[in-house]
């Protein structure tokens, strides 16, 4: 692979001048631009080794994005994703009137969607982060397992955050409850089959209709009749109607002390457990990634409001319409059940299998030939661009048209942190924040032939500063990790339930205790070429300059 050295040099040092805090780096760059006696060595390929690693159950509480549904990935296998969350009362210590009648109870969670205008000039929505197209069985239950905020580990004195793991579905499923005399206790409105037993996400906007107030009789009673006039709309959302009587009895008629504070409320009503099940005679279903923190459960009800004149004569009963709103802003846990395919269970060492959730990552070892690293150091080489290129396997059809993740993430696996090129990259994409840090890169790219057919898909990372620091002796050549990435702006790490043993490049025994959080809430996977002999192999390419 050949590079235009002067163009690369200009781009790299323009970027470094804007983003780097390393004064030596900037000074050296200035020297190069001003010097004429430099030799450039563009596009040399250096040794790199990559390895697959399964990670097992991972911490999955309080993720920024959570999954619900069933996804049958044609290569990796089936994933079932359930979700449990606490609820927070928007208005604590509510006061209720007399003769309360609940009109409806609705759980609303907005989908991730993009607003568009069609050819007719009408507004449409495209659902994003939704995979699969089959309906599934969706049940909402009362959670009876308390989700703690702090760890109850003896000797810890509740100083660290509690951890819940992706494989703890039985912990919640075994104690769920709900309606009596119903086989599975679900709280769903039994008459809304399309919302539960035949659930499928819709891209239609949600319309709210105006209610017309009418006064009937003497003394009057106010009634409200739904009209055909649209009062407002919201973007597409999951909207499930729940059992009215259950929430009347468990929330509105609860004793006052249970609703005085959200702490008391969450001790009493521990939240909701939302479960996805595959329908009989249906392969797979569909899976959505949602920001549940934007969701809520709203109880719509009416109560007496007696109106009297100045002589205390009853004029009527206004029966005002009121709400109790419970936001999904409490502690939550995403729960996964994976049924892996045979090929995914038995790694072929020629390929890299990356999968989010309770999936797999890869190890990346640079400069496994110490002599080549020593040579670069002896030449006082200044790297103008160092890149890692990972090619997606499309020739053998391993992914079978399943979507590849938009982005991968490269990080310091040994120290469980970002690398310097990530830290220095402040580039932003104004239309899509998931494409920020595009100099560091890791974004899926395609090459096409003249007929428009995809001939290659690949991911590229620029690790120029990281390699320069290795050459200067200010950075140890540590083992890197490669993982699926949902949000490049999220550099957080989460614990594995069982640490993974490995040896670092110095032969020391180490453990992987954490993986990138952004990988946990991405349900996708990809198959990459690894240490193969052909031109599709993973490539570590360095452009550098030396003085004469």
């Amino acid at each position: 692979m050949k590079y235009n050295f002067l163009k690369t040099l200009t781009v790299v040092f323009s970027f470094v001048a804007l983003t780097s805090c390393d004064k030596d780096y900037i000074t050296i760059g200035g020297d190069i631009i001003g010097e004429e006696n430099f030799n450039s060595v563009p596009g040399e390929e250096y040794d790199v080794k990559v390895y697959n690693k399964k990670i097992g159950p991972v911490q999955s509480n309080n993720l920024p994005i959570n999954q619900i549904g069933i996804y049958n990935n044609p290569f990796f296998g089936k994933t079932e994703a359930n979700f449990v969350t606490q609820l927070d009362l928007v208005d604590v210590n509510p006061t209720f009137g007399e003769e309360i009648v609940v009109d409806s109870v609705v759980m609303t969670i907005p989908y991730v969607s993009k607003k568009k205008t069609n050819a007719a000039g009408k507004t449409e929505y495209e659902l994003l982060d939704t995979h699969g197209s089959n309906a599934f069985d969706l049940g909402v239950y009362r959670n009876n397992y308390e989700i703690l905020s702090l760890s109850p580990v003896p000797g810890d004195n509740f100083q660290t955050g509690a951890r819940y793991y992706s494989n703890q579905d039985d912990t919640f499923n075994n104690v769920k409850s709900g309606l009596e005399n119903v086989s599975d206790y679900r709280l769903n409105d039994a008459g809304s089959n399309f919302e539960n037993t035949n659930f499928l996400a819709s891209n239609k906007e949600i319309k709210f209709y105006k209610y017309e107030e009418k006064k009937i009789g003497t003394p009057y009673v106010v009634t409200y009749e739904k009209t055909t006039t649209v009062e407002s709309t919201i973007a597409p959302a999951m909207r499930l109607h729940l059992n009215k009587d259950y929430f009347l009895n468990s929330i509105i008629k609860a004793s006052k002390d249970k609703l005085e504070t959200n702490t008391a409320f969450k001790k009493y009503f521990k939240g909701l457990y939302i479960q996805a099940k595959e329908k009989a005679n249906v392969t797979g279903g569909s899976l959505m990634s949602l920001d549940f923190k934007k969701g809520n459960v709203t109880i719509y009800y009416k109560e007496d409001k007696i109106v009297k004149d100045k002589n205390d004569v009853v004029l009527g009963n206004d029966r005002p319409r009121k709400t109790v709103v419970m936001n999904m802003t409490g502690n939550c846990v995403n729960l996964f059940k994976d049924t892996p395919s045979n090929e995914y269970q038995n790694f072929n060492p020629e390929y890299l299998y990356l999968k989010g959730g309770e999936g797999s990552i890869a190890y990346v070892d640079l400069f496994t030939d110490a002599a080549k690293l020593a040579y670069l150091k002896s030449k006082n080489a200044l790297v103008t661009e160092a890149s890692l290129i990972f090619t997606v396997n499309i020739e053998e059809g391993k992914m079978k048209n399943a979507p590849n993740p938009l982005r991968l993430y490269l990080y310091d696996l040994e120290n469980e942190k970002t690398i310097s090129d990530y830290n220095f990259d402040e580039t932003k994409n104004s239309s899509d924040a998931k494409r920020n840090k595009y100099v560091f890169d890791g974004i899926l790219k395609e090459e096409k032939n003249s007929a428009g057919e995809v001939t290659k898909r690949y991911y590229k990372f620029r690790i120029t500063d990281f390699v320069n620091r290795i050459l200067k002796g200010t950075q140890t050549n540590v083992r890197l990790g490669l993982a699926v990435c949902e949000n490049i702006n999220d550099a957080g790490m989460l614990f594995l339930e069982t640490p993974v043993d490995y040896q670092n490049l110095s032969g020391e025994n180490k453990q992987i205790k954490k993986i990138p959080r952004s990988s946990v809430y991405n349900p996708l996977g990809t198959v990459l070429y690894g240490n193969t002999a052909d031109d599709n192999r993973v490539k570590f390419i360095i452009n550098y300059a030396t003085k004469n």
Side-chain angles (χ1 to χ4, degrees), residues 220-235:
Y220 66 82
V221 174
V222 171
T223 62
Y224 300 89
E225 294 183 6
K226 187 177 179 179
T227 70
T228 58
T229 302
V230 176
E231 192 170 52
S232 61
T233 62
I234 61 172

Side-chain angles (χ1 to χ4, degrees), residues 494-511:
L494 292 175
F495 284 92
L496 296 177
E497 183 183 48
T498 304
V500 176
D501 295 327
Y502 75 99
Q503 282 191 334
N504 68 6
L505 298 180
S506 301
E508 300 171 306
N509 292 324
K510 295 280 188 177
Q511 284 189 325

Side-chain angles (χ1 to χ4, degrees), residues 75 126 166 265 278 293 316 332 334 353 378 427 440 469 541:
F75 174 77
E126 176 188 358
S166 54
F265 176 62
E278 199 167 29
K293 298 295 184 187
C332 62
N334 216 170
Y353 304 92
S378 71
T427 54
F440 177 61
R469 288 168 184 265
I541 298 172

Side-chain angles (χ1 to χ4, degrees), residues 8 34 39 49 71 88 94 117 130 139 163 176 202 233 265 278 282 313 337 353 396 430 438 446 472 489 514 533 536:
T8 301
N39 291 322
K49 296 293 183 183
Y71 179 48
D88 284 313
T117 303
T130 299
R163 297 175 200 162
K176 69 180 186 291
S202 169
T233 62
F265 176 62
E278 199 167 29
V282 175
V313 175
K337 288 183 177 180
Y353 304 92
E396 296 182 16
S430 59
Y438 51 79
E446 290 184 344
K472 293 192 312 184
N489 308 291
K514 299 178 183 178
N536 287 315

Side-chain angles (χ1 to χ4, degrees), residues 323-350:
T323 60
V324 175
V325 181
M326 296 167 283
N327 286 337
M328 295 182 170
T329 47
N331 293 321
C332 62
V333 189
N334 216 170
L335 306 156
F336 303 129
K337 288 183 177 180
D338 284 346
T339 307
S341 66
N342 289 333
E343 186 168 358
Y344 180 48
Q345 280 185 302
N346 302 292
F347 285 154
N348 182 332
E350 290 191 352

Side-chain angles (χ1 to χ4, degrees), residues 142-144 246 249-255 257-259 262-271:
R142 182 168 177 171
N143 171 44
N144 291 299
Y246 188 87
N249 293 322
S250 61
I251 303 297
I252 291 178
K253 292 186 177 181
S255 60
D257 61 299
K258 292 180 171 61
L259 309 179
N262 269 312
T263 300
F265 176 62
K266 284 184 280 196
K267 282 281 186 182
Y268 159 63
F269 195 96
K270 295 178 176 62

